[in-house]
Amino acid sequence: MGSISYADFVDRSYEPGETELVCRFFVVPAEGLDAVDAAGRVASESSNGTWAELEAEGSVTDLSATAFAIEPATAGEFEGYEVSVAYPDALFEGGNMAQVLSCVAGNILGMKAVDRLHLRDCDWPEPLATSFPGPRLGSGVREGIFDAPDRPITATVPKPKVGLTTDQHVEVGYEAWTGGLDLLKDDENLTDQAFNPFHDRLTAALDARDRAEAETGERKSYLVNVTAETGEMLDRVDAVADAGGEYVMVDVVTAGWAAVQAVRERCERHGLAIHAHRAMHSAFDRHPDHGVSMRVVAQIARLCGVDQIHTGTAGLGKMANEDTVGINEWLGSDLYGLEDVLPVASGGLHPGVVPPLVDALGTNVCIQAGGGVHGHPDGTHAGATALRAAVDATVTGEDLQAKAAEVPELDRALAEWGTETPR
């Protein structure tokens, strides 16, 4: 029997095993503590330690996390340290993301021993990663649903995002689909309100989808927002399948990862894809010095099984710049055979920024534009035509101005917005 103290959770000569989860944190120690003190507290509190020295018996210490690398680092205006912590696999319940996050991003974010703590990145070991299902289709939706393997797929959200009646919402979708876009998407705060009930919208939108497919000869689909209390959400997933939909949309952060896992299981039964909206993500990732990075949020989403998720626009839209390229690369990386995830670029996009966007992110992406479609001087159909023309031209290497000479709708869009990004 021996005692456990914070110092026992730091070993700078330690080499993590291949089955251990490694998390990298940015840490600013509280006044009076040095980097080693703070690192020991992070590793302790996120595994099996506490503030008081305890007597430990048997294999308890086998479940201790180990802070093994401590290097100077900066985040924004703060100077601190990057601390790498290894967690033994036995610490976690496989397939339980809520439990995993309660360890590595739980109480530690509120400790007085650190002034700032930011979970930057994770290296997921095979036993833990493969305990989750991962996506069902991932970027395979481009070919499997839309027969569009060589170009980005396109989407739009009716604007205003809430307040449209069911008929108005569906008419916007029909105009977007027939203008050339692939996906109609609900926005994050449209679910089942009196002005646009869920079941009415689902049925009417899929009827309009069928008409648009017949008119254009292209596959179309609808990202209907099923977010709700978990039981109700699963009922809505069933309703989408019964109505002939291909997708559901979930506000993954506000719904919670356990609920997302339940949706993933139900979607497997029906053969549906999952579109992840990341509403509330900035509560965790806006500041680089405290919280949880979007990179980690995206990793969690992939493990839990979403097929596509918003990851930013590499500074080409209206949102703050993010590590979009790095996140997208991770979402497309090999992960023990799990499917990849299709990144979605959204927020302030319009036809004029498509070439630099594709140059930065590649073609394995979904491009979503709201105001950049519906704000077109000639309306939604023209805006959709312009966006699709910009995508097609960019993929084939055609100059956008040359394409605009052939497509009046694109010419009007470029005259309206140019090639500048909005604020």
mmCIF file of all heavy atoms in Angstrom, residues 80-132:
data_model
loop_
_atom_site.group_PDB
_atom_site.id
_atom_site.type_symbol
_atom_site.label_atom_id
_atom_site.label_comp_id
_atom_site.label_asym_id
_atom_site.label_seq_id
_atom_site.Cartn_x
_atom_site.Cartn_y
_atom_site.Cartn_z
ATOM 1 N N GLY A 80 1.609 29.837 -21.860
ATOM 2 C CA GLY A 80 1.427 28.702 -20.966
ATOM 3 C C GLY A 80 2.223 27.516 -21.451
ATOM 4 O O GLY A 80 3.356 27.674 -21.920
ATOM 5 N N TYR A 81 1.576 26.348 -21.404
ATOM 6 C CA TYR A 81 2.274 25.114 -21.752
ATOM 7 C C TYR A 81 1.333 24.182 -22.499
ATOM 8 O O TYR A 81 0.125 24.162 -22.237
ATOM 9 C CB TYR A 81 2.775 24.408 -20.481
ATOM 10 C CG TYR A 81 3.696 25.276 -19.658
ATOM 11 C CD1 TYR A 81 3.169 26.135 -18.687
ATOM 12 C CD2 TYR A 81 5.063 25.253 -19.854
ATOM 13 C CE1 TYR A 81 3.999 26.946 -17.937
ATOM 14 C CE2 TYR A 81 5.900 26.062 -19.108
ATOM 15 C CZ TYR A 81 5.363 26.906 -18.158
ATOM 16 O OH TYR A 81 6.195 27.723 -17.422
ATOM 17 N N GLU A 82 1.903 23.412 -23.428
ATOM 18 C CA GLU A 82 1.153 22.303 -23.999
ATOM 19 C C GLU A 82 1.513 21.059 -23.204
ATOM 20 O O GLU A 82 2.685 20.682 -23.123
ATOM 21 C CB GLU A 82 1.471 22.082 -25.479
ATOM 22 C CG GLU A 82 0.620 20.955 -26.068
ATOM 23 C CD GLU A 82 0.681 20.854 -27.573
ATOM 24 O OE1 GLU A 82 -0.061 21.606 -28.241
ATOM 25 O OE2 GLU A 82 1.466 20.029 -28.071
ATOM 26 N N VAL A 83 0.504 20.453 -22.628
ATOM 27 C CA VAL A 83 0.684 19.289 -21.762
ATOM 28 C C VAL A 83 0.025 18.087 -22.421
ATOM 29 O O VAL A 83 -1.167 18.134 -22.761
ATOM 30 C CB VAL A 83 0.076 19.528 -20.371
ATOM 31 C CG1 VAL A 83 0.158 18.263 -19.517
ATOM 32 C CG2 VAL A 83 0.773 20.690 -19.676
ATOM 33 N N SER A 84 0.781 17.036 -22.629
ATOM 34 C CA SER A 84 0.239 15.806 -23.194
ATOM 35 C C SER A 84 -0.014 14.802 -22.083
ATOM 36 O O SER A 84 0.863 14.583 -21.228
ATOM 37 C CB SER A 84 1.207 15.206 -24.218
ATOM 38 O OG SER A 84 1.379 16.084 -25.309
ATOM 39 N N VAL A 85 -1.202 14.218 -22.080
ATOM 40 C CA VAL A 85 -1.611 13.286 -21.027
ATOM 41 C C VAL A 85 -2.059 11.979 -21.674
ATOM 42 O O VAL A 85 -2.842 11.980 -22.627
ATOM 43 C CB VAL A 85 -2.758 13.864 -20.181
ATOM 44 C CG1 VAL A 85 -3.179 12.878 -19.088
ATOM 45 C CG2 VAL A 85 -2.357 15.202 -19.565
ATOM 46 N N ALA A 86 -1.547 10.871 -21.143
ATOM 47 C CA ALA A 86 -1.922 9.538 -21.634
ATOM 48 C C ALA A 86 -2.882 8.884 -20.648
ATOM 49 O O ALA A 86 -2.645 8.898 -19.429
ATOM 50 C CB ALA A 86 -0.681 8.670 -21.811
ATOM 51 N N TYR A 87 -3.962 8.306 -21.193
ATOM 52 C CA TYR A 87 -4.988 7.671 -20.377
ATOM 53 C C TYR A 87 -5.049 6.183 -20.703
ATOM 54 O O TYR A 87 -5.196 5.808 -21.876
ATOM 55 C CB TYR A 87 -6.360 8.290 -20.652
ATOM 56 C CG TYR A 87 -6.471 9.742 -20.296
ATOM 57 C CD1 TYR A 87 -6.104 10.732 -21.220
ATOM 58 C CD2 TYR A 87 -6.929 10.143 -19.051
ATOM 59 C CE1 TYR A 87 -6.205 12.075 -20.894
ATOM 60 C CE2 TYR A 87 -7.029 11.486 -18.721
ATOM 61 C CZ TYR A 87 -6.667 12.445 -19.645
ATOM 62 O OH TYR A 87 -6.757 13.777 -19.321
ATOM 63 N N PRO A 88 -4.988 5.307 -19.703
ATOM 64 C CA PRO A 88 -5.086 3.865 -19.968
ATOM 65 C C PRO A 88 -6.468 3.492 -20.496
ATOM 66 O O PRO A 88 -7.485 4.072 -20.087
ATOM 67 C CB PRO A 88 -4.823 3.234 -18.604
ATOM 68 C CG PRO A 88 -5.148 4.296 -17.617
ATOM 69 C CD PRO A 88 -4.815 5.604 -18.272
ATOM 70 N N ASP A 89 -6.511 2.538 -21.393
ATOM 71 C CA ASP A 89 -7.757 2.154 -22.040
ATOM 72 C C ASP A 89 -8.804 1.680 -21.036
ATOM 73 O O ASP A 89 -10.004 1.923 -21.210
ATOM 74 C CB ASP A 89 -7.482 1.049 -23.068
ATOM 75 C CG ASP A 89 -8.730 0.634 -23.834
ATOM 76 O OD1 ASP A 89 -9.290 1.502 -24.529
ATOM 77 O OD2 ASP A 89 -9.141 -0.528 -23.709
ATOM 78 N N ALA A 90 -8.355 1.018 -19.973
ATOM 79 C CA ALA A 90 -9.299 0.473 -18.989
ATOM 80 C C ALA A 90 -10.058 1.562 -18.239
ATOM 81 O O ALA A 90 -11.059 1.279 -17.571
ATOM 82 C CB ALA A 90 -8.559 -0.421 -17.995
ATOM 83 N N LEU A 91 -9.604 2.808 -18.355
ATOM 84 C CA LEU A 91 -10.289 3.916 -17.686
ATOM 85 C C LEU A 91 -11.644 4.207 -18.321
ATOM 86 O O LEU A 91 -12.529 4.775 -17.683
ATOM 87 C CB LEU A 91 -9.403 5.161 -17.753
ATOM 88 C CG LEU A 91 -9.793 6.372 -16.925
ATOM 89 C CD1 LEU A 91 -9.724 6.064 -15.438
ATOM 90 C CD2 LEU A 91 -8.883 7.551 -17.263
ATOM 91 N N PHE A 92 -11.815 3.793 -19.576
ATOM 92 C CA PHE A 92 -12.997 4.183 -20.340
ATOM 93 C C PHE A 92 -13.966 3.026 -20.560
ATOM 94 O O PHE A 92 -13.552 1.863 -20.651
ATOM 95 C CB PHE A 92 -12.578 4.731 -21.707
ATOM 96 C CG PHE A 92 -11.625 5.885 -21.609
ATOM 97 C CD1 PHE A 92 -10.313 5.747 -22.041
ATOM 98 C CD2 PHE A 92 -12.021 7.095 -21.071
ATOM 99 C CE1 PHE A 92 -9.424 6.801 -21.948
ATOM 100 C CE2 PHE A 92 -11.143 8.149 -20.967
ATOM 101 C CZ PHE A 92 -9.834 8.004 -21.406
ATOM 102 N N GLU A 93 -15.240 3.391 -20.667
ATOM 103 C CA GLU A 93 -16.264 2.440 -21.107
ATOM 104 C C GLU A 93 -16.397 2.582 -22.613
ATOM 105 O O GLU A 93 -16.787 3.644 -23.120
ATOM 106 C CB GLU A 93 -17.605 2.717 -20.440
ATOM 107 C CG GLU A 93 -18.701 1.772 -20.905
ATOM 108 C CD GLU A 93 -20.078 2.126 -20.368
ATOM 109 O OE1 GLU A 93 -20.198 3.038 -19.528
ATOM 110 O OE2 GLU A 93 -21.044 1.474 -20.812
ATOM 111 N N GLY A 94 -16.066 1.535 -23.333
ATOM 112 C CA GLY A 94 -16.132 1.592 -24.785
ATOM 113 C C GLY A 94 -17.513 1.956 -25.283
ATOM 114 O O GLY A 94 -18.529 1.510 -24.734
ATOM 115 N N GLY A 95 -17.558 2.796 -26.324
ATOM 116 C CA GLY A 95 -18.832 3.178 -26.921
ATOM 117 C C GLY A 95 -19.652 4.149 -26.111
ATOM 118 O O GLY A 95 -20.807 4.402 -26.437
ATOM 119 N N ASN A 96 -19.069 4.743 -25.066
ATOM 120 C CA ASN A 96 -19.812 5.674 -24.203
ATOM 121 C C ASN A 96 -19.110 7.028 -24.247
ATOM 122 O O ASN A 96 -18.236 7.315 -23.441
ATOM 123 C CB ASN A 96 -19.859 5.134 -22.775
ATOM 124 C CG ASN A 96 -20.729 5.979 -21.855
ATOM 125 O OD1 ASN A 96 -21.019 7.144 -22.136
ATOM 126 N ND2 ASN A 96 -21.127 5.394 -20.732
ATOM 127 N N MET A 97 -19.483 7.862 -25.219
ATOM 128 C CA MET A 97 -18.795 9.140 -25.388
ATOM 129 C C MET A 97 -19.029 10.075 -24.213
ATOM 130 O O MET A 97 -18.136 10.855 -23.846
ATOM 131 C CB MET A 97 -19.244 9.812 -26.688
ATOM 132 C CG MET A 97 -18.446 11.066 -27.027
ATOM 133 S SD MET A 97 -16.646 10.797 -27.120
ATOM 134 C CE MET A 97 -16.531 9.877 -28.660
ATOM 135 N N ALA A 98 -20.199 10.016 -23.605
ATOM 136 C CA ALA A 98 -20.455 10.864 -22.444
ATOM 137 C C ALA A 98 -19.461 10.565 -21.324
ATOM 138 O O ALA A 98 -18.930 11.482 -20.680
ATOM 139 C CB ALA A 98 -21.888 10.663 -21.955
ATOM 140 N N GLN A 99 -19.174 9.287 -21.100
ATOM 141 C CA GLN A 99 -18.223 8.917 -20.051
ATOM 142 C C GLN A 99 -16.807 9.339 -20.402
ATOM 143 O O GLN A 99 -16.066 9.853 -19.560
ATOM 144 C CB GLN A 99 -18.285 7.398 -19.814
ATOM 145 C CG GLN A 99 -17.450 6.913 -18.626
ATOM 146 C CD GLN A 99 -16.029 6.532 -18.999
ATOM 147 O OE1 GLN A 99 -15.735 6.234 -20.154
ATOM 148 N NE2 GLN A 99 -15.144 6.538 -18.015
ATOM 149 N N VAL A 100 -16.415 9.167 -21.659
ATOM 150 C CA VAL A 100 -15.070 9.555 -22.085
ATOM 151 C C VAL A 100 -14.868 11.054 -21.863
ATOM 152 O O VAL A 100 -13.845 11.485 -21.306
ATOM 153 C CB VAL A 100 -14.840 9.187 -23.564
ATOM 154 C CG1 VAL A 100 -13.503 9.752 -24.055
ATOM 155 C CG2 VAL A 100 -14.876 7.680 -23.752
ATOM 156 N N LEU A 101 -15.844 11.864 -22.264
ATOM 157 C CA LEU A 101 -15.704 13.306 -22.131
ATOM 158 C C LEU A 101 -15.784 13.759 -20.684
ATOM 159 O O LEU A 101 -15.180 14.779 -20.316
ATOM 160 C CB LEU A 101 -16.766 14.013 -22.966
ATOM 161 C CG LEU A 101 -16.590 13.868 -24.476
ATOM 162 C CD1 LEU A 101 -17.719 14.553 -25.214
ATOM 163 C CD2 LEU A 101 -15.249 14.433 -24.919
ATOM 164 N N SER A 102 -16.504 13.036 -19.863
ATOM 165 C CA SER A 102 -16.534 13.377 -18.436
ATOM 166 C C SER A 102 -15.156 13.226 -17.817
ATOM 167 O O SER A 102 -14.837 13.894 -16.831
ATOM 168 C CB SER A 102 -17.544 12.496 -17.706
ATOM 169 O OG SER A 102 -18.867 12.811 -18.102
ATOM 170 N N CYS A 103 -14.334 12.353 -18.404
ATOM 171 C CA CYS A 103 -12.947 12.218 -17.939
ATOM 172 C C CYS A 103 -12.082 13.343 -18.471
ATOM 173 O O CYS A 103 -11.547 14.147 -17.713
ATOM 174 C CB CYS A 103 -12.366 10.873 -18.388
ATOM 175 S SG CYS A 103 -13.068 9.415 -17.603
ATOM 176 N N VAL A 104 -11.948 13.417 -19.787
ATOM 177 C CA VAL A 104 -10.912 14.256 -20.384
ATOM 178 C C VAL A 104 -11.340 15.704 -20.590
ATOM 179 O O VAL A 104 -10.488 16.560 -20.878
ATOM 180 C CB VAL A 104 -10.427 13.662 -21.717
ATOM 181 C CG1 VAL A 104 -9.923 12.238 -21.506
ATOM 182 C CG2 VAL A 104 -11.513 13.694 -22.794
ATOM 183 N N ALA A 105 -12.626 16.021 -20.462
ATOM 184 C CA ALA A 105 -13.081 17.405 -20.612
ATOM 185 C C ALA A 105 -14.175 17.716 -19.594
ATOM 186 O O ALA A 105 -15.115 18.458 -19.878
ATOM 187 C CB ALA A 105 -13.592 17.646 -22.026
ATOM 188 N N GLY A 106 -14.039 17.153 -18.402
ATOM 189 C CA GLY A 106 -15.057 17.315 -17.372
ATOM 190 C C GLY A 106 -14.677 18.328 -16.314
ATOM 191 O O GLY A 106 -14.494 19.520 -16.602
ATOM 192 N N ASN A 107 -14.505 17.863 -15.070
ATOM 193 C CA ASN A 107 -14.215 18.768 -13.960
ATOM 194 C C ASN A 107 -12.954 19.588 -14.157
ATOM 195 O O ASN A 107 -12.816 20.682 -13.606
ATOM 196 C CB ASN A 107 -14.065 17.964 -12.663
ATOM 197 C CG ASN A 107 -15.372 17.379 -12.186
ATOM 198 O OD1 ASN A 107 -16.446 17.782 -12.630
ATOM 199 N ND2 ASN A 107 -15.300 16.407 -11.291
ATOM 200 N N ILE A 108 -12.010 19.075 -14.933
ATOM 201 C CA ILE A 108 -10.721 19.763 -15.067
ATOM 202 C C ILE A 108 -10.867 21.179 -15.622
ATOM 203 O O ILE A 108 -10.056 22.048 -15.326
ATOM 204 C CB ILE A 108 -9.737 18.965 -15.937
ATOM 205 C CG1 ILE A 108 -10.334 18.641 -17.303
ATOM 206 C CG2 ILE A 108 -9.314 17.698 -15.217
ATOM 207 C CD1 ILE A 108 -9.339 17.977 -18.250
ATOM 208 N N LEU A 109 -11.917 21.436 -16.419
ATOM 209 C CA LEU A 109 -12.071 22.755 -17.005
ATOM 210 C C LEU A 109 -12.476 23.801 -15.975
ATOM 211 O O LEU A 109 -12.405 25.005 -16.245
ATOM 212 C CB LEU A 109 -13.106 22.713 -18.132
ATOM 213 C CG LEU A 109 -12.642 21.974 -19.394
ATOM 214 C CD1 LEU A 109 -13.801 21.699 -20.323
ATOM 215 C CD2 LEU A 109 -11.565 22.770 -20.109
ATOM 216 N N GLY A 110 -12.866 23.378 -14.786
ATOM 217 C CA GLY A 110 -13.253 24.320 -13.745
ATOM 218 C C GLY A 110 -12.295 24.385 -12.569
ATOM 219 O O GLY A 110 -12.577 25.061 -11.581
ATOM 220 N N MET A 111 -11.151 23.710 -12.655
ATOM 221 C CA MET A 111 -10.218 23.676 -11.524
ATOM 222 C C MET A 111 -9.594 25.043 -11.264
ATOM 223 O O MET A 111 -9.197 25.742 -12.204
ATOM 224 C CB MET A 111 -9.100 22.663 -11.786
ATOM 225 C CG MET A 111 -9.528 21.231 -11.846
ATOM 226 S SD MET A 111 -8.090 20.121 -11.853
ATOM 227 C CE MET A 111 -7.147 20.770 -13.239
ATOM 228 N N LYS A 112 -9.456 25.395 -9.979
ATOM 229 C CA LYS A 112 -8.770 26.630 -9.621
ATOM 230 C C LYS A 112 -7.263 26.530 -9.827
ATOM 231 O O LYS A 112 -6.572 27.536 -9.840
ATOM 232 C CB LYS A 112 -9.060 26.991 -8.161
ATOM 233 C CG LYS A 112 -10.495 27.418 -7.907
ATOM 234 C CD LYS A 112 -10.660 28.029 -6.531
ATOM 235 C CE LYS A 112 -10.460 27.005 -5.430
ATOM 236 N NZ LYS A 112 -10.718 27.583 -4.089
ATOM 237 N N ALA A 113 -6.764 25.324 -10.014
ATOM 238 C CA ALA A 113 -5.326 25.132 -10.209
ATOM 239 C C ALA A 113 -4.857 25.607 -11.579
ATOM 240 O O ALA A 113 -3.644 25.719 -11.811
ATOM 241 C CB ALA A 113 -4.959 23.663 -10.028
ATOM 242 N N VAL A 114 -5.791 25.877 -12.495
ATOM 243 C CA VAL A 114 -5.418 26.386 -13.815
ATOM 244 C C VAL A 114 -6.221 27.653 -14.104
ATOM 245 O O VAL A 114 -7.411 27.730 -13.802
ATOM 246 C CB VAL A 114 -5.664 25.340 -14.919
ATOM 247 C CG1 VAL A 114 -4.742 24.138 -14.738
ATOM 248 C CG2 VAL A 114 -7.121 24.893 -14.957
ATOM 249 N N ASP A 115 -5.551 28.643 -14.684
ATOM 250 C CA ASP A 115 -6.257 29.849 -15.112
ATOM 251 C C ASP A 115 -6.898 29.648 -16.481
ATOM 252 O O ASP A 115 -7.933 30.232 -16.782
ATOM 253 C CB ASP A 115 -5.287 31.033 -15.180
ATOM 254 C CG ASP A 115 -4.967 31.598 -13.801
ATOM 255 O OD1 ASP A 115 -5.719 31.308 -12.849
ATOM 256 O OD2 ASP A 115 -3.954 32.319 -13.692
ATOM 257 N N ARG A 116 -6.259 28.834 -17.315
ATOM 258 C CA ARG A 116 -6.787 28.510 -18.631
ATOM 259 C C ARG A 116 -6.503 27.037 -18.920
ATOM 260 O O ARG A 116 -5.439 26.527 -18.583
ATOM 261 C CB ARG A 116 -6.123 29.354 -19.732
ATOM 262 C CG ARG A 116 -6.427 30.842 -19.657
ATOM 263 C CD ARG A 116 -7.868 31.106 -20.077
ATOM 264 N NE ARG A 116 -8.165 32.527 -20.190
ATOM 265 C CZ ARG A 116 -8.500 33.310 -19.181
ATOM 266 N NH1 ARG A 116 -8.544 32.808 -17.959
ATOM 267 N NH2 ARG A 116 -8.780 34.587 -19.380
ATOM 268 N N LEU A 117 -7.471 26.364 -19.560
ATOM 269 C CA LEU A 117 -7.273 24.963 -19.934
ATOM 270 C C LEU A 117 -8.059 24.707 -21.211
ATOM 271 O O LEU A 117 -9.276 24.916 -21.251
ATOM 272 C CB LEU A 117 -7.737 24.016 -18.831
ATOM 273 C CG LEU A 117 -7.499 22.526 -19.093
ATOM 274 C CD1 LEU A 117 -6.007 22.217 -19.168
ATOM 275 C CD2 LEU A 117 -8.151 21.674 -18.010
ATOM 276 N N HIS A 118 -7.373 24.281 -22.256
ATOM 277 C CA HIS A 118 -7.998 24.076 -23.560
ATOM 278 C C HIS A 118 -7.592 22.717 -24.098
ATOM 279 O O HIS A 118 -6.404 22.427 -24.250
ATOM 280 C CB HIS A 118 -7.529 25.174 -24.528
ATOM 281 C CG HIS A 118 -8.238 25.171 -25.841
ATOM 282 N ND1 HIS A 118 -7.652 24.745 -27.010
ATOM 283 C CD2 HIS A 118 -9.494 25.559 -26.189
ATOM 284 C CE1 HIS A 118 -8.505 24.877 -28.008
ATOM 285 N NE2 HIS A 118 -9.629 25.365 -27.544
ATOM 286 N N LEU A 119 -8.583 21.866 -24.353
ATOM 287 C CA LEU A 119 -8.330 20.559 -24.960
ATOM 288 C C LEU A 119 -8.154 20.777 -26.456
ATOM 289 O O LEU A 119 -9.109 21.056 -27.176
ATOM 290 C CB LEU A 119 -9.481 19.599 -24.677
ATOM 291 C CG LEU A 119 -9.392 18.208 -25.327
ATOM 292 C CD1 LEU A 119 -8.087 17.497 -24.976
ATOM 293 C CD2 LEU A 119 -10.593 17.357 -24.932
ATOM 294 N N ARG A 120 -6.908 20.637 -26.920
ATOM 295 C CA ARG A 120 -6.582 20.975 -28.299
ATOM 296 C C ARG A 120 -6.766 19.828 -29.275
ATOM 297 O O ARG A 120 -7.222 20.011 -30.398
ATOM 298 C CB ARG A 120 -5.117 21.441 -28.383
ATOM 299 C CG ARG A 120 -4.843 22.807 -27.796
ATOM 300 C CD ARG A 120 -3.371 23.165 -27.946
ATOM 301 N NE ARG A 120 -3.163 24.601 -27.803
ATOM 302 C CZ ARG A 120 -1.980 25.200 -27.911
ATOM 303 N NH1 ARG A 120 -0.889 24.477 -28.148
ATOM 304 N NH2 ARG A 120 -1.880 26.502 -27.785
ATOM 305 N N ASP A 121 -6.376 18.623 -28.871
ATOM 306 C CA ASP A 121 -6.322 17.520 -29.829
ATOM 307 C C ASP A 121 -6.315 16.202 -29.072
ATOM 308 O O ASP A 121 -5.969 16.148 -27.890
ATOM 309 C CB ASP A 121 -5.056 17.637 -30.684
ATOM 310 C CG ASP A 121 -5.120 16.847 -31.980
ATOM 311 O OD1 ASP A 121 -6.160 16.217 -32.256
ATOM 312 O OD2 ASP A 121 -4.119 16.846 -32.721
ATOM 313 N N CYS A 122 -6.698 15.147 -29.764
ATOM 314 C CA CYS A 122 -6.667 13.799 -29.193
ATOM 315 C C CYS A 122 -6.097 12.826 -30.221
ATOM 316 O O CYS A 122 -6.367 12.946 -31.417
ATOM 317 C CB CYS A 122 -8.076 13.318 -28.804
ATOM 318 S SG CYS A 122 -8.891 14.287 -27.536
ATOM 319 N N ASP A 123 -5.332 11.872 -29.746
ATOM 320 C CA ASP A 123 -4.915 10.722 -30.549
ATOM 321 C C ASP A 123 -5.693 9.520 -30.044
ATOM 322 O O ASP A 123 -5.465 9.042 -28.923
ATOM 323 C CB ASP A 123 -3.405 10.471 -30.398
ATOM 324 C CG ASP A 123 -2.566 11.574 -31.001
ATOM 325 O OD1 ASP A 123 -3.050 12.261 -31.918
ATOM 326 O OD2 ASP A 123 -1.417 11.758 -30.553
ATOM 327 N N TRP A 124 -6.623 9.048 -30.879
ATOM 328 C CA TRP A 124 -7.550 8.001 -30.457
ATOM 329 C C TRP A 124 -6.943 6.627 -30.737
ATOM 330 O O TRP A 124 -6.655 6.307 -31.895
ATOM 331 C CB TRP A 124 -8.882 8.147 -31.177
ATOM 332 C CG TRP A 124 -9.546 9.454 -30.890
ATOM 333 C CD1 TRP A 124 -9.382 10.619 -31.566
ATOM 334 C CD2 TRP A 124 -10.460 9.718 -29.836
ATOM 335 N NE1 TRP A 124 -10.148 11.617 -30.994
ATOM 336 C CE2 TRP A 124 -10.818 11.095 -29.931
ATOM 337 C CE3 TRP A 124 -11.024 8.941 -28.814
ATOM 338 C CZ2 TRP A 124 -11.719 11.694 -29.056
ATOM 339 C CZ3 TRP A 124 -11.915 9.543 -27.942
ATOM 340 C CH2 TRP A 124 -12.258 10.892 -28.062
ATOM 341 N N PRO A 125 -6.777 5.783 -29.737
ATOM 342 C CA PRO A 125 -6.234 4.437 -29.961
ATOM 343 C C PRO A 125 -7.290 3.525 -30.571
ATOM 344 O O PRO A 125 -8.504 3.773 -30.458
ATOM 345 C CB PRO A 125 -5.853 3.981 -28.557
ATOM 346 C CG PRO A 125 -6.854 4.663 -27.675
ATOM 347 C CD PRO A 125 -7.102 6.010 -28.317
ATOM 348 N N GLU A 126 -6.850 2.471 -31.179
ATOM 349 C CA GLU A 126 -7.768 1.585 -31.889
ATOM 350 C C GLU A 126 -8.853 0.984 -30.995
ATOM 351 O O GLU A 126 -10.032 0.975 -31.386
ATOM 352 C CB GLU A 126 -6.996 0.474 -32.601
ATOM 353 C CG GLU A 126 -7.881 -0.427 -33.439
ATOM 354 C CD GLU A 126 -7.102 -1.385 -34.319
ATOM 355 O OE1 GLU A 126 -5.867 -1.464 -34.148
ATOM 356 O OE2 GLU A 126 -7.715 -2.052 -35.170
ATOM 357 N N PRO A 127 -8.545 0.468 -29.803
ATOM 358 C CA PRO A 127 -9.627 -0.150 -29.008
ATOM 359 C C PRO A 127 -10.755 0.820 -28.685
ATOM 360 O O PRO A 127 -11.929 0.454 -28.769
ATOM 361 C CB PRO A 127 -8.902 -0.609 -27.735
ATOM 362 C CG PRO A 127 -7.480 -0.769 -28.138
ATOM 363 C CD PRO A 127 -7.232 0.316 -29.139
ATOM 364 N N LEU A 128 -10.404 2.047 -28.330
ATOM 365 C CA LEU A 128 -11.432 3.021 -27.990
ATOM 366 C C LEU A 128 -12.145 3.518 -29.242
ATOM 367 O O LEU A 128 -13.383 3.580 -29.281
ATOM 368 C CB LEU A 128 -10.825 4.191 -27.221
ATOM 369 C CG LEU A 128 -11.805 5.256 -26.711
ATOM 370 C CD1 LEU A 128 -12.875 4.633 -25.810
ATOM 371 C CD2 LEU A 128 -11.056 6.362 -25.964
ATOM 372 N N ALA A 129 -11.399 3.864 -30.282
ATOM 373 C CA ALA A 129 -12.012 4.399 -31.503
ATOM 374 C C ALA A 129 -12.993 3.407 -32.115
ATOM 375 O O ALA A 129 -14.100 3.774 -32.524
ATOM 376 C CB ALA A 129 -10.937 4.773 -32.509
ATOM 377 N N THR A 130 -12.607 2.156 -32.190
ATOM 378 C CA THR A 130 -13.458 1.159 -32.851
ATOM 379 C C THR A 130 -14.569 0.636 -31.959
ATOM 380 O O THR A 130 -15.380 -0.189 -32.401
ATOM 381 C CB THR A 130 -12.612 -0.012 -33.385
ATOM 382 O OG1 THR A 130 -11.865 -0.588 -32.311
ATOM 383 C CG2 THR A 130 -11.666 0.456 -34.482
ATOM 384 N N SER A 131 -14.628 1.119 -30.717
ATOM 385 C CA SER A 131 -15.794 0.811 -29.885
ATOM 386 C C SER A 131 -16.995 1.670 -30.293
ATOM 387 O O SER A 131 -18.111 1.441 -29.832
ATOM 388 C CB SER A 131 -15.477 1.008 -28.408
ATOM 389 O OG SER A 131 -15.337 2.384 -28.072
ATOM 390 N N PHE A 132 -16.751 2.664 -31.147
ATOM 391 C CA PHE A 132 -17.803 3.521 -31.696
ATOM 392 C C PHE A 132 -18.057 3.126 -33.151
ATOM 393 O O PHE A 132 -17.164 2.613 -33.828
ATOM 394 C CB PHE A 132 -17.382 4.987 -31.608
ATOM 395 C CG PHE A 132 -17.249 5.487 -30.200
ATOM 396 C CD1 PHE A 132 -16.016 5.447 -29.554
ATOM 397 C CD2 PHE A 132 -18.340 5.983 -29.513
ATOM 398 C CE1 PHE A 132 -15.878 5.892 -28.254
ATOM 399 C CE2 PHE A 132 -18.217 6.437 -28.204
ATOM 400 C CZ PHE A 132 -16.994 6.383 -27.576
#
